Amino acid sequence: MAAGPVGILCLVLLAVLLVHRSSVGLDREQVVGTYRIVQPSLYDVADAPATVELRSDGRIRTCGPQGGTIHEGTWSWDDTEGWVRSDVPELDRRIRGYLGWTGPKLFWRLQLNMHDPEELPLESNER
Amino acid sequence: MKLPAIERSTMRNFRSDRESLISIALAVFLIVLAFASGYRATSDLTWPPYVDFDRDASFAQSILDGHYGENPLYRDEVMWFTPLVFSMEALAVKATGVSIQVFQARAGAIFNLLIPIAFFLMVWRMFNPMIAVVALWAQLYLLPGQEPGWAIATYSPWLLPMIFSQGLFYIMVIALYRSFRSSAWPVWMLMGSGAGVLFLAHAAPAMILVGTVAFRLIYAIVTAWRAGDRAGVLAHLKCSLASAAAFIIITLPLTWYVVGHYGLDQVNRIPAAYTYTPLSLRNWKLFLFHNVSLFNLIAVIGVVGLFRGKGQVSRMLMRSWVLLALFFGCFTYMAVTLGIHYGIKLPTAVPTFHFYFYLKAALAIGFAHIVVLSVERTWQYLKRTHKVRDISIRTTCTLGTVILVQTAIGYPAYANRPDLVDTRQQCMVRMADTGATDMCYFMRDQLPWEAVVLCDDELSMRVLMASARKTVATNASMANPYVLPAPREQARAGMFAGLEAPAPEMDSLLQAYDVTYLLIRRSEAEKYPERGRWFPHLVHRNEGYLLYSRN
């Protein structure tokens, strides 16, 4: 690890790469899919849906553990802000995403209220 | 005598220029990346996210309107909130002409850079550059997780007093570290002045700092007394007096009002009773959700390790910092619980989470100690050597690589963490309510300072508060803690009842609170058939809101 000019240049280039990479947004096609919510081991989230479907026809559906529909409506992808927008208030701005190193990363916020930031990762069923 | 490795690692402040340069380069790299994410989240915002900002804006507006010291929300009441940040906002608005809200939404990304810079310098000064850069990495990239920036000690781009004051706290810890063993009264007078400025920024870090200064000076006096050192006793008494006097004088812009006018009698205990959700006992699982991690395990062991080592100023400061934060946090929680369940009234100042905040900062330092120590010990074992320079270069290179790799892998998640993207969305939601913004600015620009606007709880916070015009009652959690909320809330309820149906006490209620305006939503226009009798004149309307006047 050199602290000389080459080392500094490498740090600058790495910083530029990271800033650029982190600001690349997802597009709608990358978000379409069926996801399951990954439950944490220490925190039981009973009221979170088990699966979320973001269909290519613009329909969104959340289902409970037994497969029953919890909410259903239409969705769109706010590609500037990286949020799922929906005509269902319980689903509007509830799912967000960004492009990670290994592909899209989506998250389900536990509370409807945006003041509580806790969220769980959504894992694609297609992978 | 062979010292334990943790002692050696922290006692040894020698580092070559090259290692210092590597630490500085890494620190700049980490800080620039943190800033880039904060700047991206805030650079185009025109309204800040929380009602706390509207409270600050109301006080800043009171300065711009030439009414510093008055309560912008309640007529005939006085100022009650720590004034440093809102005074800075007023000054910036005066100097640049930018709106308060734009400044609040965007300036935090820059002003809060003081936090990581001061934190890095503090840990460097107290320990060494490698511990400093690892602690900075932990503070910026490992601590945050999903918790909001106002709940944990990290860099966050939101210009809230509780976040901004963190940087001042670290600067004051550096100053205290330098003056710890001094018995010169001018030095302690400066410490008292600095603590006063910190208090004007936020009470919680000032309580930890003042407690540490008090412990130090009392300890020095008792030690000198026991040794029969009369000169030492007198010198430290003089230091105590100089420090206390400076603190009292510097804090007068606030204490003049809250002590002089209110006698510190917090009759509205709701603001201090606010509990950050993961810190309430019934949400213990949520606390575990945020805190059960390898990072925290290592950090707690590191903090306990920092408690060892008699006579080292850095360790005494860390002990005092951690123990006072624990004490104040537990005491506040107990006071709130006893107050709610048993009606026992113990003094409270600020909510519990402010001390959780500073414990998190200590965890970053504890984590850094353990990590640096572990890598040093590993290299000592592998190379079978105790040569300080050789081990320290290898440690620096190893940790530098780990920091770079982890930061590179984790940066997309960091730059899109909830503290940035969720909070930004709250700004977007508020910005989309253009009617609220228009009405707020109309009231600020067109209504006289003493105008009292009758409106409900939500409108008082969302629309009225930032205009710095008065109301009958606002949400008690954001209201003056020295004014009883219940009579005002009852009066407001009575007035709204009088708008729905004839009420004999309506006139006297309106007069008692000098109400001159009524603010309602357009959707509520038909809800108040008596409105025309009491507020006949439409003053301003837009797509969302209606403002009426009595005359």
Side-chain angles (χ1 to χ4, degrees), chain B residues 394-416:
Chain B
R394 288 177 188 279
T395 301
T396 303
C397 291
T398 307
L399 287 173
T401 307
V402 169
I403 288 171
L404 286 179
V405 170
Q406 190 282 332
T407 306
I409 292 172
Y411 190 70
Y414 175 82
N416 291 283

Side-chain angles (χ1 to χ4, degrees), chain B residues 376-390:
Chain B
E376 280 184 347
R377 290 291 291 268
T378 305
W379 278 117
Q380 281 172 6
Y381 176 78
L382 291 174
K383 292 289 166 187
R384 308 272 181 229
T385 177
H386 286 278
K387 284 182 187 169
V388 170
R389 188 170 169 72
D390 186 32

Side-chain angles (χ1 to χ4, degrees), chain B residues 164-340:
Chain B
F164 174 75
S165 58
Q166 206 191 146
L168 298 180
F169 174 75
Y170 301 140
I171 289 172
M172 285 311 300
V173 172
I174 297 171
L176 186 54
Y177 178 83
R178 287 176 63 89
S179 55
F180 204 72
R181 297 206 192 280
S182 171
S183 55
W185 68 266
V187 169
W188 289 97
M189 192 179 75
L190 284 175
M191 277 305 305
S193 305
V197 172
L198 181 61
F199 182 77
L200 294 180
H202 201 272
M207 287 164 73
I208 297 172
L209 188 81
V210 170
T212 307
V213 169
F215 275 143
R216 168 62 197 149
L217 290 172
I218 291 168
Y219 180 79
I221 291 167
V222 170
T223 307
W225 178 269
R226 281 184 175 171
D229 177 9
R230 202 174 160 187
V233 171
L234 283 174
H236 282 103
L237 272 175
K238 212 188 282 183
C239 293
S240 306
L241 284 174
S243 180
F247 180 80
I248 289 168
I249 290 167
I250 294 291
T251 57
L252 276 176
L254 176 63
T255 53
W256 182 268
Y257 303 101
V258 297
V259 179
H261 188 85
Y262 291 124
L264 275 182
D265 184 17
Q266 288 199 356
V267 289
N268 170 18
R269 297 169 73 80
I270 292 172
Y274 170 78
T275 304
Y276 172 49
T277 313
L279 291 186
S280 70
L281 281 178
R282 68 173 177 276
N283 292 317
W284 62 274
K285 284 185 176 177
L286 193 58
F287 179 84
L288 295 182
F289 175 74
H290 285 301
N291 287 289
V292 173
S293 65
L294 181 63
F295 167 80
N296 275 336
L297 176 67
I298 295 170
V300 168
I301 294 169
V303 168
V304 173
L306 283 172
F307 277 35
R308 297 169 61 211
K310 282 185 178 174
Q312 291 176 43
V313 174
S314 55
R315 282 152 193 274
M316 284 192 270
L317 282 176
M318 288 306 303
R319 266 200 298 267
S320 179
W321 170 342
V322 171
L323 293 176
L324 282 168
L326 273 173
F327 169 76
F328 285 130
C330 293
F331 179 83
T332 307
Y333 195 87
M334 184 185 73
V336 169
T337 307
L338 290 176
I340 291 170

Side-chain angles (χ1 to χ4, degrees), chain B residues 337-460:
Chain B
T337 307
L338 290 176
I340 291 170
H341 295 294
Y342 303 103
I344 298 169
K345 199 177 169 186
L346 293 171
T348 54
V350 292
T352 317
F353 76 87
H354 291 300
F355 302 107
Y356 173 75
F357 186 98
Y358 283 96
L359 284 174
K360 288 276 186 174
L363 286 180
I365 301 171
F367 173 84
H369 265 88
I370 291 293
V371 168
V372 172
L373 170 70
S374 304
V375 175
E376 280 184 347
R377 290 291 291 268
T378 305
W379 278 117
Q380 281 172 6
Y381 176 78
L382 291 174
K383 292 289 166 187
R384 308 272 181 229
T385 177
H386 286 278
K387 284 182 187 169
V388 170
R389 188 170 169 72
D390 186 32
I391 294 301
S392 127
I393 288 172
R394 288 177 188 279
T395 301
T396 303
C397 291
T398 307
L399 287 173
T401 307
V402 169
I403 288 171
L404 286 179
V405 170
Q406 190 282 332
T407 306
I409 292 172
Y411 190 70
Y414 175 82
N416 291 283
R417 67 190 189 278
D419 181 44
L420 300 180
V421 293
D422 286 24
T423 314
R424 177 179 165 81
Q425 284 309 295
Q426 292 179 58
C427 297
M428 304 300 272
V429 170
R430 177 59 184 80
M431 284 158 60
D433 191 352
T434 52
T437 302
D438 167 71
M439 187 57 81
C440 175
Y441 288 160
F442 178 86
M443 290 191 290
R444 182 196 67 186
D445 297 336
Q446 303 297 325
L447 269 49
W449 166 256
E450 61 276 3
V452 180
V453 181
L454 173 64
C455 58
D456 68 23
D457 218 41
E458 196 201 336
L459 291 188
S460 73

